Amino acid sequence: MKTFVVLMGAPGAGKGTQAKRLESLLGLPQVATGDLFRANLKNQTELGKLARTYMDKGELVPNEVTIAMVRERLSQPDCESGAILDGFPRTLAQAEALDELLMEFGAKIAVVPFIHVNQDVLVGRLAKRAEIEGRADDNEDTIRTRMQVYESETAPLLNYYDNRGLLVKVNGEQSIDEVSADLTAVIRQEMIS
Ligand code: AMP
């Protein structure tokens, strides 16, 4: 059975941290569109150059480009048993494209854990990450734009998945270990059922 998990949560909710942990805990690869774009940026590919113009402003890279990149990544052999999707889908068009893509692979989404963290906690975390990691898109203006984009484009997906009975809310304000334990339990439940 293939297990495709879509990890949802606002910027700063801990998706990246948790997806990396789940990769070793569950043996499923993390597919993070932000990381894929950053790797392209580092290697100065055409895709990287294009993505940069959006990332620097905290805006979304166009759907067609993002979907094509995900299609390519999910077609690789290590995703044969599934993947933990982190940062994708972020728009309704991407969510629909993912459904189609998985159907082509004879798979579907197993579960959509939503890491919930209150807004004031999120802003504090992102500011701290800016200091530690020095990510170019963690400055104040970009953070604000990313939050707005999340609210308008991505948050509606919570309803989209909830209506299909796939959304499971996890308290993201617990310790990192506790969040991992909750997520692992939620996903394992789907892997055995
Ligand atoms: P992240 O590392 O997930 O916070 O993503 C960093 C940036 O990459 C975002 O602010 C967007 O500019 C771009 N990005 C990542 N994932 C997507 C996506 N699914 N759709 C469009 N743009 C994305």
Side-chain angles (χ1 to χ4, degrees), residues 33-35 37-38 54-55 58-61 66 87-90 94 129 135 137 146:
T33 39
D35 288 351
F37 284 132
R38 279 185 287 278
Y54 297 93
M55 292 172 84
E59 291 169 5
L60 294 180
V61 179
T66 307
F88 182 91
R90 261 173 154 101
Q94 291 180 11
R129 185 168 80 186
R135 253 176 66 163
D137 62 349
R146 275 158 63 211

Side-chain angles (χ1 to χ4, degrees), residues 96-166:
E96 287 168 355
L98 177 64
D99 288 337
E100 277 174 33
L101 196 57
L102 293 184
M103 203 144 59
E104 277 176 38
F105 295 158
K108 55 185 169 47
I109 296 169
V111 65
V112 182
F114 167 45
I115 308 178
H116 180 261
V117 173
N118 283 308
Q119 177 92 17
D120 46 340
V121 178
L122 290 174
V123 174
R125 283 192 191 176
L126 287 173
K128 206 163 153 197
R129 185 168 80 186
E131 270 175 44
I132 299 169
E133 293 181 17
R135 253 176 66 163
D137 62 349
D138 268 344
N139 65 67
E140 211 176 296
D141 276 352
T142 318
I143 290 173
R144 201 169 304 121
T145 307
R146 275 158 63 211
M147 286 296 186
Q148 281 163 1
V149 169
Y150 173 77
E151 282 308 323
S152 62
E153 302 282 333
T154 311
L157 295 184
L158 297 174
N159 259 336
Y160 177 80
Y161 288 125
D162 196 22
N163 289 339
R164 286 165 51 185
L166 289 170

Side-chain angles (χ1 to χ4, degrees), residues 164-186:
R164 286 165 51 185
L166 289 170
L167 198 77
V168 181
K169 193 167 162 178
V170 167
N171 176 5
E173 292 186 24
Q174 308 176 91
S175 72
I176 292 179
D177 280 344
E178 284 166 334
V179 178
S180 298
D182 282 2
L183 289 171
T184 311
V186 163

Side-chain angles (χ1 to χ4, degrees), residues 33-57 61 69 135-137:
T33 39
D35 288 351
L36 293 174
F37 284 132
R38 279 185 287 278
N40 274 281
L41 223 137
K42 202 170 151 210
N43 296 329
Q44 299 187 339
T45 67
E46 286 307 310
L47 174 61
K49 282 178 205 160
L50 174 85
R52 170 170 221 147
T53 57
Y54 297 93
M55 292 172 84
D56 280 352
K57 290 184 277 187
V61 179
M69 181 178 73
R135 253 176 66 163
D137 62 349

